[in-house]
Amino acid sequence: MKKIHFFLLGGVLTLISTNTFAASKMIQTNAQLKGVTVYLNAAELTHQVRLDIPQGVSTLVIENLSPQASDETLQFAFEKDGITLLSSQFMLEAIPFDDLSDLAPLAKETLAEYNKVSTVRGKLAAEKVATEGFIAGLNVQGNTGSEVLRGSTQKLNELMQYIFEKRTNLEMQLNKLNKELTNYDLQLQRLREQLKDQGISPEKTYQRGRAVLQIRSAGNLTTELMVRYIANGARWNHSYEIRGDMSQKPLKLISRASVAQRTGLFWEGIKLRLVFGYAQLDHQIPTLLPWRLRDYRKVQVRASKSYSLDVRAEQPMLANARSAENEVMMEMADYDSTLEAGDVEVTSDMLNVSYEIKIPYDVLPNGREHQIEIQSMEIPAAYSYFSVPKLNTEAFLVATIKNYNQYGLFNSPAQIVFEKMRAGSTQLTPTSETNELPITLGVEPRIVVERKSVFDKTSDVFLSSNRERTFTYDILVRNNKKEAVEMTLKDQYPLSADENIKVELLESSGAEVNSTKGELTWQLQLGAGEAKTVRLSYKVRYPKTVQLDF
């Protein structure tokens, strides 16, 4: 009877007869991982293998591929011409735990120790079972012997003495075995945690991907084969560390990459290429559909059923970087390295910015972040203080970068280290309407800002059918630092959205007025210990029947 193998490829069930394999020559090989391109939501893995291909039709089995591979992205390229790819299938194979040492080189020592401890623990467990059985047998022997030797006191005493001594020794031995088993259980638990850190779980089935190719060769050839595909379960995040010092004007901006993967493969000595973009499998420009306006009151709304979609962590998330981050459980790690300027090559094309890291890295498939410093640059910055006392009376130290677009900055979180002290975190958002990028570095407690209402300049007057209200505020700024500072103050006055509501700015103390936004900006120079006060006053006239929220 002919045996049939079932392989599932891209949602299509493929039937392959064993006769198909028997009719052609079988070549089985392990593909070596040579390079990884990591996107924000996935990774592109490149394998390489050298093969001797015989003339005619052959079945080529390529092992050691990622179990997270998207089979529709698999690409095969032979170095030499004359080879035709007839068909290809991708499947998963379970790897016995005892065979992981050859496939997980970075965990080889831990696996060997785990197997050794597990073997000793198994022998002790068997010895414990035997000892407990011996004790149970002594109990039976004692009960039986007491019935048989009831008439012979001496022999009964000798039997009971033997059972007592034997059972005492066995109980002591059993107690020792229990202690040893507890000790070995603790060792195994520690080794399980180490294996988990190295991307292996002894309790779960370990899998590898396998590609089966049907090829035809025009002759006997020795060639290189490249295998490339997208694998889910990998990602990287971009972040900055901003270092500043008032005595040294340039800001030091350090780009960092946090790389993590659960592709099922050990990235050992791999050169990484980090792409600031998504590995989107479906590229299609959007299409506009007809837009028809209807009276929403005439549209009957029907309740729809709700469905829950189970999305696996290994599936690509294309929405945004935060969604991709949730795919893999992350745990912060120490920074692994600081690369020199020549160790990273930055490339920018029409679609993405990429960082090619020339130093090989080991990245374990445990989902934990592997952090790399990929770029460092000094950027000229102007320091000043900024406050919006209507919302917050604190004075913020701000570094302003001019012509920031020339530095190729990303919208990324940033850690701030100012004057060698960690000052907190911020979000770098290079989306300003101007060519200036402000970066908030922290709060300066030695600059005091107060905003108070001036009651004798504030009034509420009723005029026939209208009401007229005047608001006046004094903003006091005091510099308690030992050096002069530049201070930017912002406040606002209301704008009218109704022709019956009239707003008049009465006093602004020389502020720069943006009448479109209703904003006032003061640029102040404050010497050491100096204090200045600016005044804002405006009048609002509106009908008595109108309710306004001031």
Side-chain angles (χ1 to χ4, degrees), residues 355-369:
Y355 301 90
E356 186 170 349
I357 302 173
K358 299 179 180 179
I359 294 179
Y361 272 88
D362 295 340
V363 183
L364 297 171
N366 56 10
R368 295 191 177 182
E369 288 188 344

Side-chain angles (χ1 to χ4, degrees), residues 243-260:
R243 297 180 183 176
D245 197 318
M246 289 292 287
S247 60
Q248 299 175 359
K249 291 296 183 180
L251 276 179
K252 189 171 185 180
L253 205 63
I254 301 172
S255 291
R256 298 197 187 278
S258 300
V259 183

Side-chain angles (χ1 to χ4, degrees), residues 467 469 498 501 503 540-543 545-550:
R467 185 178 183 182
R469 300 184 66 180
D498 190 324
I501 302 173
V503 180
V540 182
R541 176 180 293 181
Y542 57 96
T545 56
V546 173
Q547 295 282 342
L548 295 182
D549 183 17
F550 291 100

Side-chain angles (χ1 to χ4, degrees), residues 273-414:
R273 181 170 172 260
L274 309 178
V275 178
F276 199 88
Y278 292 98
Q280 298 186 10
L281 305 181
D282 184 14
H283 295 278
Q284 185 67 40
I285 61 172
T287 302
L288 288 174
L289 298 176
W291 180 15
R292 296 181 175 88
L293 297 179
R294 293 182 176 88
D295 187 346
Y296 72 92
R297 292 173 299 178
K298 297 181 180 179
V299 177
Q300 183 179 1
V301 179
R302 296 181 179 179
S304 60
K305 297 180 180 179
S306 62
Y307 298 91
S308 61
L309 181 61
D310 183 16
V311 180
R312 297 182 303 165
E314 293 82 1
Q315 291 178 318
M317 307 293 282
L318 306 179
N320 49 49
R322 190 60 60 190
S323 297
E325 183 175 340
N326 293 333
E327 293 179 25
V328 187
M329 180 185 65
M330 297 299 160
E331 296 183 23
M332 293 302 295
D334 294 333
Y335 293 131
D336 295 302
S337 66
T338 300
L339 301 179
E340 301 295 334
D343 294 333
V344 179
E345 182 178 345
V346 183
T347 305
S348 179
D349 56 29
M350 294 181 65
L351 296 176
N352 296 308
V353 175
S354 63
Y355 301 90
E356 186 170 349
I357 302 173
K358 299 179 180 179
I359 294 179
Y361 272 88
D362 295 340
V363 183
L364 297 171
N366 56 10
R368 295 191 177 182
E369 288 188 344
H370 188 93
Q371 301 203 23
I372 307 169
E373 182 178 310
I374 55 178
Q375 194 178 26
S376 177
M377 52 185 166
E378 290 191 350
I379 300 178
Y383 294 94
S384 63
Y385 293 94
F386 190 94
S387 182
V388 186
K390 180 183 178 181
L391 304 178
N392 191 325
T393 57
E394 292 178 314
F396 294 88
L397 176 60
V398 176
T400 302
I401 301 174
K402 295 184 178 181
N403 301 318
Y404 68 88
N405 56 326
Q406 63 181 304
Y407 302 109
L409 303 179
F410 297 115
N411 189 339
S412 297

Side-chain angles (χ1 to χ4, degrees), residues 415-476:
Q415 296 294 321
I416 300 171
V417 179
F418 193 74
E419 294 183 341
K420 300 180 180 180
M421 296 288 291
R422 188 164 293 277
S425 60
T426 186
Q427 184 76 21
L428 206 62
T429 52
T431 55
S432 174
E433 295 177 357
T434 66
N435 63 346
E436 295 184 351
L437 176 64
I439 301 175
T440 305
L441 299 178
V443 174
E444 175 54 78
R446 291 171 293 181
I447 297 179
V448 181
V449 182
E450 294 180 356
R451 184 180 190 266
K452 296 181 179 180
S453 176
V454 182
F455 293 104
D456 59 345
K457 299 292 184 179
T458 300
S459 61
D460 189 356
V461 180
F462 291 90
L463 303 170
S464 63
S465 61
N466 290 327
R467 185 178 183 182
E468 187 176 274
R469 300 184 66 180
T470 301
F471 300 87
T472 304
Y473 300 95
D474 277 348
I475 304 173
L476 169 67

Side-chain angles (χ1 to χ4, degrees), residues 101-345:
S101 296
D102 296 332
L103 300 176
L106 298 177
K108 193 170 185 178
E109 293 183 2
T110 309
L111 281 168
E113 186 178 356
Y114 180 87
N115 290 331
K116 180 180 177 181
V117 174
S118 182
T119 300
V120 175
R121 201 266 181 204
K123 292 180 180 179
L124 290 175
E127 187 176 346
K128 176 185 176 182
V129 172
T131 302
E132 290 174 338
F134 205 146
I135 293 173
L138 286 176
N139 292 335
V140 174
Q141 185 179 3
N143 293 332
T144 305
S146 61
E147 292 292 333
V148 175
L149 301 174
R150 183 175 296 177
S152 176
T153 304
Q154 181 179 355
K155 290 184 178 181
L156 180 59
N157 288 338
E158 289 176 358
L159 175 62
M160 298 307 294
Q161 181 66 27
Y162 165 78
I163 293 175
F164 172 78
E165 292 177 357
K166 194 67 177 177
R167 179 165 182 171
T168 300
N169 292 333
L170 290 174
E171 290 287 356
M172 293 175 62
Q173 183 178 349
L174 186 61
N175 185 48
K176 180 182 177 182
L177 287 172
N178 285 329
K179 290 181 179 179
E180 291 179 349
L181 285 170
T182 300
N183 180 46
Y184 279 104
D185 285 339
L186 292 175
Q187 292 186 49
L188 288 175
Q189 181 61 33
R190 174 180 58 83
L191 291 170
R192 287 192 193 96
E193 293 298 327
Q194 290 183 15
L195 288 173
K196 187 177 180 181
D197 291 341
Q198 295 168 340
I200 296 175
S201 178
E203 294 82 7
K204 295 182 179 180
T205 302
Y206 200 80
Q207 292 182 322
R208 284 294 168 93
R210 171 191 288 182
V212 179
L213 311 182
Q214 285 281 327
I215 59 175
R216 178 186 288 116
S217 176
N220 296 325
L221 297 174
T222 298
T223 182
E224 297 281 347
L225 169 63
M226 301 291 291
V227 184
R228 183 174 295 169
Y229 54 89
I230 297 293
N232 302 317
R235 57 171 288 276
W236 77 285
N237 278 342
H238 181 270
S239 63
Y240 289 107
E241 182 176 297
I242 302 172
R243 297 180 183 176
D245 197 318
M246 289 292 287
S247 60
Q248 299 175 359
K249 291 296 183 180
L251 276 179
K252 189 171 185 180
L253 205 63
I254 301 172
S255 291
R256 298 197 187 278
S258 300
V259 183
Q261 62 106 351
R262 287 188 184 274
T263 63
L265 297 183
F266 287 73
W267 299 357
E268 182 182 13
I270 299 299
K271 291 185 178 180
L272 300 175
R273 181 170 172 260
L274 309 178
V275 178
F276 199 88
Y278 292 98
Q280 298 186 10
L281 305 181
D282 184 14
H283 295 278
Q284 185 67 40
I285 61 172
T287 302
L288 288 174
L289 298 176
W291 180 15
R292 296 181 175 88
L293 297 179
R294 293 182 176 88
D295 187 346
Y296 72 92
R297 292 173 299 178
K298 297 181 180 179
V299 177
Q300 183 179 1
V301 179
R302 296 181 179 179
S304 60
K305 297 180 180 179
S306 62
Y307 298 91
S308 61
L309 181 61
D310 183 16
V311 180
R312 297 182 303 165
E314 293 82 1
Q315 291 178 318
M317 307 293 282
L318 306 179
N320 49 49
R322 190 60 60 190
S323 297
E325 183 175 340
N326 293 333
E327 293 179 25
V328 187
M329 180 185 65
M330 297 299 160
E331 296 183 23
M332 293 302 295
D334 294 333
Y335 293 131
D336 295 302
S337 66
T338 300
L339 301 179
E340 301 295 334
D343 294 333
V344 179
E345 182 178 345

